[in-house]
Amino acid sequence: MKEIADLKTKIKQLTKADFEQLKVETESQVAVWFWATSDLYNPEPFHYESNNWARGRKLKGEPAKKAEHHHYGLNAQGEIIVERQYTSFEQYFYELFFIRTHDTITRYRFSYDNKEIEQISRFYYEQNQLTQHITVADNQCKCDYAVYYYNSNQKLIEKKCHLEFDDFETDRNHEYKYDQFGLLETITENRESIIYQKSAQSISFKQLTVMAEDRLFTVLRQNIHQHAIPEELYCLYLYYGNAHLFPPAIAYGTKAEKDHWQVQGTKAKWIIWNPADYQYNMEVNMDGETERFFDLYNQETEMQQKYAAAKKAIINVVMKLKDSLNEFTLNKTSDFVIIAADDEQADLKKNFKILNPELFEQFRKDLP
């Protein structure tokens, strides 16, 4: 396989000078750094479940002791491009660099002491789905490569993996099964050993919320891409009811509408920030599995009285959308804002300040 041969050649040719150049070029693209308790990112689907590892937790700031922690660098698109894995001696850390194109991610891992290359991995994508990955290494496991297969609902159902060690080769194929809500239930290796099984206990609301945020970001992103509004826009508005919060509806406020409403004096602000009056106002389109998941999440939100947590999750997603606005085809005014609020506007001002702090003073008097 040519791709494997190329990576095997590459790992033998990398020098200390290559490491220094890769480090400078990649870290110069870092826009944001953050700390985590441990490893929290891997391009392989269900990497943590397959290995029975706990995913790390993002920290608010630098830890008092760096030992065993991870330090991540994000590019301007919010993608991880640098990872530092600290050892038990905090002056030593492995360094990983992620080189991204539209259909590949190449990951380089260097040792913690002399910064020699230990591993190169390449991940291949088609339509944003991982289809294949190859890893070559300078240790006991010399090479592994895997091919990924999906069903008609774009759920991963099988990974066929081949590993080459110093003195033998083996296959480790994984099958993935899901429950009625589309959540991972089991991973079976070589059709005989269950290496992951979802706990029989009810999933916690915190875990559900993490999944809900991921799903909501994906579905909102898809819907915004699908609805290219030609008019000049002053806001993108996500709004929800007081019971079934997920998913919020999407509304677009046009500059022409705003100019028309502003002549109505003191009443104007109640209309300008009322998405029900917008011309472009739509429910979110989603597949059946996502709809069933949101039904479950809304049910648990109501039964456990977790409305505040669910609303905070929506704010988190909208903040992420704000960071991604440049990827959408939106004709924005110079003071364009993104909003999330309930359909009665009760939390509009509070959420506006969270989502658009740089414009809050300018808009304060114009908010209902």
Side-chain angles (χ1 to χ4, degrees), residues 58-184:
K58 187 176 180 180
L59 298 174
K60 293 182 179 179
E62 181 177 328
K65 295 183 178 180
K66 298 177 183 178
E68 308 292 350
H69 286 74
H70 285 221
H71 198 199
Y72 289 96
L74 307 179
N75 62 16
Q77 290 73 47
E79 301 164 327
I80 290 175
I81 57 172
V82 177
E83 179 179 354
R84 298 171 179 170
Q85 301 176 351
Y86 280 78
T87 68
S88 55
F89 302 97
E90 60 180 50
Q91 69 268 35
Y92 296 114
F93 52 88
Y94 297 92
E95 296 191 64
L96 288 76
F97 305 107
F98 299 80
I99 309 303
R100 298 172 180 269
T101 71
H102 74 284
D103 58 2
T104 66
I105 298 175
T106 304
R107 180 183 66 195
Y108 298 85
R109 175 186 169 94
F110 292 89
S111 63
Y112 64 84
D113 46 7
N114 53 17
K115 303 303 180 183
E116 291 184 350
I117 185 68
E118 290 189 342
Q119 189 184 87
I120 304 176
S121 299
R122 183 163 291 156
F123 304 86
Y124 298 84
Y125 293 84
E126 292 181 9
Q127 298 179 338
N128 295 320
Q129 282 189 324
L130 179 64
T131 58
Q132 178 181 327
H133 95 255
I134 300 168
T135 295
V136 296
D138 189 22
N139 56 23
Q140 185 183 11
C141 183
K142 296 297 184 182
C143 176
D144 73 83
Y145 57 91
V147 181
Y148 298 84
Y149 301 89
Y150 301 82
N151 62 17
S152 58
N153 292 323
Q154 299 184 334
K155 302 289 286 187
L156 178 65
I157 55 173
E158 186 175 12
K159 179 180 80 170
K160 292 185 176 180
C161 184
H162 183 79
L163 297 93
E164 299 175 3
F165 294 86
D166 278 337
D167 51 0
F168 75 99
E169 300 180 15
T170 186
D171 293 319
R172 292 180 184 170
N173 300 330
H174 290 174
E175 292 184 356
Y176 306 83
K177 296 189 181 301
Y178 305 85
D179 65 14
Q180 59 182 320
F181 302 111
L183 304 177
L184 181 66

Side-chain angles (χ1 to χ4, degrees), residues 10 39 49 51 67 81 87 89 94 103 111 123 157 166 184-185 193 205 253 258 276 291 305 321 323 325 332 338 356:
K10 191 176 187 68
D39 177 25
E49 292 85 351
N51 293 283
I81 57 172
T87 68
F89 302 97
Y94 297 92
D103 58 2
S111 63
F123 304 86
I157 55 173
D166 278 337
L184 181 66
E185 193 165 53
S193 303
F205 188 80
K258 185 178 181 181
E291 185 175 4
Q305 299 289 293
L321 282 174
D323 292 338
L325 278 177
K332 306 187 293 291
I338 186 167
N356 306 282

Side-chain angles (χ1 to χ4, degrees), residues 196-227:
Y196 170 81
Q197 184 165 351
K198 188 176 66 175
S199 172
Q201 298 178 350
S202 297
I203 190 168
S204 72
F205 188 80
K206 184 176 181 180
Q207 291 171 310
L208 272 179
T209 300
V210 172
M211 297 175 186
E213 285 190 24
D214 289 343
R215 284 177 179 258
L216 183 60
F217 177 74
T218 298
V219 76
L220 289 179
R221 185 169 175 265
Q222 290 171 345
N223 276 256
I224 295 169
H225 274 299
Q226 289 167 4
H227 297 96

Side-chain angles (χ1 to χ4, degrees), residues 343-360:
D343 51 18
E344 296 179 356
Q345 301 171 302
D347 53 6
L348 171 61
K349 185 171 288 189
K350 179 189 71 173
N351 291 349
F352 190 105
K353 187 173 184 179
I354 294 171
L355 293 168
N356 306 282
E358 71 282 3
L359 294 173
F360 181 69

